[in-house]
Amino acid sequence: MNFTPGDSNVTVAVNYRDAFVLAVGKNVTIIVLGITINYINGTMVHTFNKHHIFKANPRFILFIHLVFSDMIQLTTSISLFVFTYTLHTIYVSLCCLLILPAIFTTQNTPLNLAFMAAECYIAVCIPLRYNYICTVKRTYIVIGMIWTLSSLSVLPDVIILLATEPLEFMNSRVFCSRDTVFRSTYSVKKRDASHILFLVGVWLTLFYTYFRILFVAKAADANAKKARNTILLHGFQLLLCMITYVRLMLIQELSFAFPGSIASINFVAFIVSQILPRFISPIIYGLRDKTFRKYFKRYLCAVNIH
């Protein structure tokens, strides 16, 4: 009986203000995390470029390639996250420019981890042939293979998009995601098949190299034990990367269970699947490797002092 339209307007205004503050807080959190991780990764790239000892080591070449891919992936994914909150929809052509680098670098990560695990296996299990097998030239060939395989899994989607979708669709505005841009049934099936193929191949590589190194580590060789622990970290990083492939399914299931927390679910899923895996890379080599840590801390401290 005492309800008035003014009370309703005040309630709506308060709810809108709270939602706006929450959205700003989420975007600021994501941007700060992205800048921090990219700053650390950028310092690692600078450290790598300044010292020939790292440029001549296949292990660090693969590591820096992983870090560089992480920087691209993190920048594009955070840009898409901010656009979804601020603009909600963007033009399909602009969405393609943002989403293609994100897909390329996301596909690069498991392949890069597989080759890094193979490098550890060669260094520990067949050390006498390491200098013959793992050369700088072959390492860059491997990096070219990684980008080629990633391209082969994505470029068919672009061809299908250009061949099947009308020109008006390219000029329309959509919620920017892979499923809304590459919406062909064939593209969805091919995406799932390529994800399964990549992940199965990478997991088989990690399991094989880990157990072979495990047998060598029983001889109490310190390098073998360190390589074993490194591959375990690779496995953990790959588990986090796999969340990207099942993120939509997890979000749907959690949204049904908690219908009032969809925004929070998307926020947490983004941090776990996109940001946390990129935070693991600096730990694996940047902090665990004594030689790289020594030079990395020097440049990091120099920047802080400046």
Side-chain angles (χ1 to χ4, degrees):
M1 294 291 293
N2 296 327
F3 177 79
T4 62
D7 295 332
S8 176
N9 292 335
V10 171
T11 303
V12 172
V14 171
N15 291 336
Y16 177 80
R17 184 190 63 188
D18 293 342
F20 177 77
V21 172
L22 185 61
V24 171
K26 290 178 179 178
N27 280 272
V28 170
T29 301
I30 293 295
I31 292 173
V32 169
L33 287 174
I35 292 175
T36 302
I37 295 175
N38 275 345
Y39 165 72
I40 295 173
N41 288 342
T43 306
M44 289 187 172
V45 174
H46 179 73
T47 304
F48 173 83
N49 288 329
K50 284 293 183 179
H51 299 280
H52 181 73
I53 186 176
F54 302 128
K55 293 181 180 180
N57 191 324
R59 180 174 304 173
F60 287 105
I61 295 174
L62 288 173
F63 166 63
I64 290 300
H65 175 253
L66 179 64
V67 169
F68 183 72
S69 295
D70 285 348
M71 294 176 67
I72 297 175
Q73 202 278 340
L74 199 60
T75 302
T76 52
S77 61
I78 289 177
S79 299
L80 289 171
F81 183 88
V82 173
F83 282 149
T84 57
Y85 266 95
T86 56
L87 302 177
H88 190 66
T89 60
I90 61 176
Y91 290 105
V92 173
S93 54
L94 177 60
C95 179
C96 287
L97 293 178
L98 290 173
I99 205 170
L100 285 177
I103 296 174
F104 280 134
T105 49
T106 300
Q107 298 278 29
N108 282 352
T109 299
L111 297 175
N112 208 116
L113 292 174
F115 282 111
M116 292 174 76
E119 187 274 336
C120 287
Y121 162 75
I122 295 171
V124 173
C125 298
I126 44 178
L128 297 180
R129 300 191 62 190
Y130 178 84
N131 291 330
Y132 173 74
I133 298 174
C134 298
T135 63
V136 173
K137 181 180 179 180
R138 290 182 177 179
T139 304
Y140 283 110
I141 292 175
V142 164
I143 292 175
M145 291 172 55
I146 291 174
W147 282 94
T148 300
L149 291 173
S150 299
S151 301
L152 291 176
S153 69
V154 179
L155 289 181
D157 294 336
V158 179
I159 296 174
I160 294 173
L161 172 66
L162 297 176
T164 59
E165 297 291 350
L167 184 61
E168 291 77 11
F169 177 71
M170 301 298 295
N171 296 323
S172 62
R173 297 175 68 96
V174 297
F175 180 84
C176 188
S177 69
R178 183 172 184 174
D179 291 336
T180 56
V181 175
F182 305 115
R183 53 186 183 176
S184 169
T185 305
Y186 173 77
S187 295
V188 174
K189 292 181 179 179
K190 183 198 64 61
R191 179 200 63 193
D192 295 338
S194 64
H195 286 172
I196 293 172
L197 181 63
F198 279 14
L199 291 176
V200 168
V202 172
W203 274 116
L204 289 176
T205 303
L206 289 180
F207 276 120
Y208 177 79
T209 54
Y210 174 76
F211 285 109
R212 289 298 302 268
I213 292 174
L214 182 64
F215 294 138
V216 176
K218 290 182 179 180
D221 185 282
N223 291 329
K225 291 183 177 180
K226 183 178 179 181
R228 181 195 61 186
N229 294 334
T230 299
I231 292 180
L232 280 178
L233 287 173
H234 287 332
F236 176 67
Q237 189 176 12
L238 184 61
L239 280 174
L240 293 177
C241 293
M242 287 177 62
I243 298 177
T244 303
Y245 302 133
V246 298
R247 187 178 68 167
L248 292 178
M249 183 177 65
L250 289 176
I251 289 175
Q252 291 176 355
E253 295 297 329
L254 292 174
S255 298
F256 283 124
F258 307 98
S261 304
I262 296 177
S264 299
I265 291 171
N266 283 315
F267 176 68
V268 174
F270 182 83
I271 290 180
V272 173
S273 63
Q274 301 294 336
I275 293 182
L276 192 57
R278 275 79 213 172
F279 180 72
I280 299 298
S281 296
I283 296 177
I284 293 179
Y285 282 102
L287 299 180
R288 293 181 67 244
D289 188 273
K290 293 181 180 179
T291 304
F292 194 86
R293 183 173 66 225
K294 180 180 67 174
Y295 292 104
F296 171 70
K297 289 173 63 177
R298 180 186 304 174
Y299 288 110
L300 191 65
C301 293
V303 172
N304 289 333
I305 292 172
H306 177 71

